[in-house]
Amino acid sequence: MRSIVKENTALERDHTTNAILNSDAAGYKAALMRKKHHKKSAEQINELKNEVSELKDLVKRLIVKIDK
């Protein structure tokens, strides 16, 4: 059996376990989308860091070859 929490209608208390559960499906989907977007952004940043590192290595190699 569940009952709605006073301050927030999206929250329900489960009387069996005494846990508070979130019943807001739209909010849950939005949170999943934010998490997915954040993960994708972090992956893109790491990819850019790797590419910049590769470019720095190539520039260093060119400088060494030019100095010879």
Side-chain angles (χ1 to χ4, degrees):
M1 186 168 155
R2 294 183 181 172
S3 61
I4 295 176
V5 176
K6 291 179 186 178
E7 292 84 23
N8 192 338
T9 58
L11 298 177
E12 299 175 347
R13 179 172 299 279
D14 182 353
H15 294 288
T16 306
T17 62
N18 208 27
I20 294 181
L21 307 170
N22 188 346
S23 61
D24 182 14
Y28 178 70
K29 286 181 183 179
L32 288 178
M33 292 298 291
R34 283 192 307 270
K35 183 177 179 180
K36 184 178 178 180
H37 181 265
H38 177 71
K39 183 178 179 180
K40 185 175 180 180
S41 295
E43 289 173 353
Q44 288 175 338
I45 288 171
N46 284 334
E47 185 178 332
L48 287 171
K49 284 180 181 180
N50 290 337
E51 289 176 3
V52 167
S53 179
E54 289 177 19
L55 287 171
K56 286 171 68 175
D57 288 341
L58 288 172
V59 168
K60 287 177 184 178
R61 286 187 203 169
L62 284 173
I63 291 172
V64 168
K65 284 187 177 186
I66 290 173
D67 286 342
K68 286 184 178 182

